[in-house]
């Protein structure tokens, strides 16, 4: 996955605006969804409200991608402004209680610190090693499911094997991976 730089984010948003590119939207959603939820939880929202707000925000990103103007700020600023406004709107509609503005909420840096990078590299290495220990047929199915994002039915069609075989190989692979990677939990 490419580094999630400002230019990469702008390119994703442009693809959404011009081509309604679902893969570009998925990349933004995967990156910003958890961050928006964390901000909403930190600002006092419960789990359900935070998840609802993430959905509202990302739906607005999809709908309003054409309105983004790079001259007015970074993609992250634009998305967090949508989040702030969505939260305020939800609070205004839901109650007469005063609300806390997101401007006062401190965000953790999106940059990984050294310790996080070391841990991530160690986990990545262990997962790679565990995957390399799988038989080729199981590794291929796991790769198709998680890297190519194919459903079990699509995998069965692509490999010309029964769906039950795909499920069986996947179950066997999960069992081996679980036992190998159990200590990472």
């Amino acid at each position: 996955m490419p580094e999630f730089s400002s230019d990469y984010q702008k390119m994703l948003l442009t693809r959404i605006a011009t081509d309604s590119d679902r893969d570009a939207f998925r990349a933004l959603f995967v990156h910003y969804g958890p961050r928006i939820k964390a901000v909403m939880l930190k600002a006092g929202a419960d789990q359900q409200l935070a998840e609802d707000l993430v959905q509202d925000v990302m739906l607005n990103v999809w709908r309003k991608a054409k309105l983004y103007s790079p001259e007015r700020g970074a993609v992250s600023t634009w998305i967090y402004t949508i989040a702030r406004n969505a939260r305020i709107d939800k609070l205004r509609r839901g109650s007469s209680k005063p609300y806390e503005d997101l401007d006062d909420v401190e965000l953790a840096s999106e940059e990984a610190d050294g310790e996080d990078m070391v841990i991530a590299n160690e986990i990545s290495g262990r997962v790679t090693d565990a995957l390399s220990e799988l038989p080729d047929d199981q590794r291929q199915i796991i790769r198709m499911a998680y890297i190519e994002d194919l459903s079990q039915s699509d995998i069965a069609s692509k490999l010309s094997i029964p769906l039950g075989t795909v499920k069986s190989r996947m179950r066997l692979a999960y069992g081996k991976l679980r036992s190998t990677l159990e200590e990472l939990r």
Side-chain angles (χ1 to χ4, degrees):
M1 178 171 181
E3 180 181 331
F4 219 80
S5 68
S6 179
D7 289 339
Y8 180 66
Q9 293 176 51
K10 287 177 190 175
M11 182 272 303
L12 291 174
L13 203 52
T14 300
R15 286 178 29 199
I16 294 167
T18 58
D19 303 322
S20 297
D21 186 323
R22 290 175 185 246
D23 291 330
F25 179 74
R26 185 178 299 116
L28 280 178
F29 195 103
V30 165
H31 182 78
Y32 281 104
R35 288 166 173 77
I36 294 167
K37 183 177 178 183
V39 168
M40 296 304 167
L41 290 170
K42 188 171 184 179
D46 61 29
Q47 286 284 334
Q48 185 62 47
L49 178 59
E51 290 173 8
D52 288 347
L53 286 167
V54 169
Q55 295 296 321
D56 292 347
V57 170
M58 295 312 295
L59 186 58
N60 277 326
V61 168
W62 176 260
R63 289 179 179 158
K64 297 179 179 183
K66 292 178 183 170
L67 301 177
Y68 170 70
S69 173
E71 302 80 33
R72 295 180 63 195
V75 171
S76 60
T77 303
W78 185 71
I79 291 175
Y80 286 123
T81 300
I82 292 172
R84 175 184 172 271
N85 293 339
R87 181 174 179 271
I88 290 170
D89 290 345
K90 187 77 91 173
L91 288 169
R92 283 182 182 154
R93 282 190 304 265
S95 131
S96 61
K97 294 179 188 175
Y99 58 89
E100 180 183 334
D101 197 340
L102 287 180
D103 288 336
D104 299 332
V105 175
E106 290 184 31
L107 297 174
S109 171
E110 292 185 18
E111 299 293 321
D113 65 13
E115 183 179 354
D116 290 341
M117 290 174 63
V118 168
I119 292 170
N121 286 338
E122 183 178 334
I123 290 171
S124 176
R126 287 186 180 179
V127 170
T128 300
D129 291 345
L131 287 170
S132 68
E133 293 175 13
L134 291 176
D136 290 338
D137 57 346
Q138 293 172 15
R139 184 175 42 248
Q140 180 183 31
I141 287 176
I142 295 296
R143 181 183 53 76
M144 293 173 86
Y146 290 96
I147 296 181
E148 296 178 29
D149 198 25
L150 296 176
S151 69
Q152 291 177 337
S153 299
D154 292 338
I155 294 169
S157 290
K158 198 168 185 178
L159 296 177
S160 301
I161 60 176
L163 179 59
T165 302
V166 171
K167 291 180 178 184
S168 173
R169 289 179 184 171
M170 209 170 233
R171 188 172 43 254
L172 289 169
Y174 289 154
K176 290 175 186 173
L177 291 172
R178 185 178 301 116
S179 65
T180 305
L181 299 174
E182 187 68 32
E183 66 190 48
L184 293 180
R185 285 188 170 196

